[in-house]
């Protein structure tokens, strides 16, 4: 999943200051279900774009199942967690940009 945020104004590279992420480097943040990467594909004075790339690991999804998950032999294969993209992305945004 990919989320981009762009700013088009003078001194647009201040977006990195607002998000507390340096535009000059790629950062990776471990999540319970994969890895979130923050990078800036475009960082100039007039336009700046911050991107959050979420790499969901299906094996980690199975290993981090909750206590309310049914415990039967096919339970790890019959669930909706891999398809709940919005909740995974919201969780990654909260964990990655919590300092902003």
């Amino acid at each position: 999943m990919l989320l981009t945020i762009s700013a088009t104004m003078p001194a647009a590279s201040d977006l990195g200051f607002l998000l507390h992420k340096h535009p000059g480097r790629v950062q990776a943040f471990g999540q319970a279900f994969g890895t979130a990467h923050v990078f800036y594909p475009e960082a100039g004075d007039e336009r700046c774009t911050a991107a959050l790339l979420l790499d969901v690991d299906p094996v980690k999804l199975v290993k981090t199942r909750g206590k309310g998950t049914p415990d039967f032999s096919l339970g790890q294969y019959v669930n909706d967690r891999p398809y709940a993209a919005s909740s995974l992305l919201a969780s990654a945004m909260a964990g990655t940009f919590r300092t902003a």
Side-chain angles (χ1 to χ4, degrees):
M1 290 171 269
L2 179 68
L3 172 75
T4 59
I5 303 168
S6 297
T8 55
M9 60 182 183
S13 60
D14 287 346
L15 181 64
F17 176 75
L18 293 172
L19 296 176
H20 291 243
K21 304 295 179 256
H22 193 275
R25 61 186 177 133
V26 177
Q27 298 176 5
F29 300 91
Q31 303 290 321
F33 45 80
T35 307
H37 303 275
V38 177
F39 59 95
Y40 289 79
E42 182 178 15
D45 290 334
E46 296 296 321
R47 182 174 173 88
C48 185
T49 303
L52 172 69
L53 176 67
L54 181 59
D55 183 20
V56 179
D57 185 5
V59 175
K60 282 188 176 182
L61 277 175
V62 172
K63 289 183 178 180
T64 59
R65 64 186 180 129
K67 293 182 180 182
T69 305
D71 191 22
F72 56 94
S73 62
L74 295 177
Q76 64 183 351
Y77 302 106
V78 183
N79 61 35
D80 62 345
R81 291 187 70 191
Y83 305 105
S86 60
S87 65
L88 294 177
L89 186 60
S91 177
M93 286 173 46
T96 304
F97 297 121
R98 69 176 165 252
T99 56

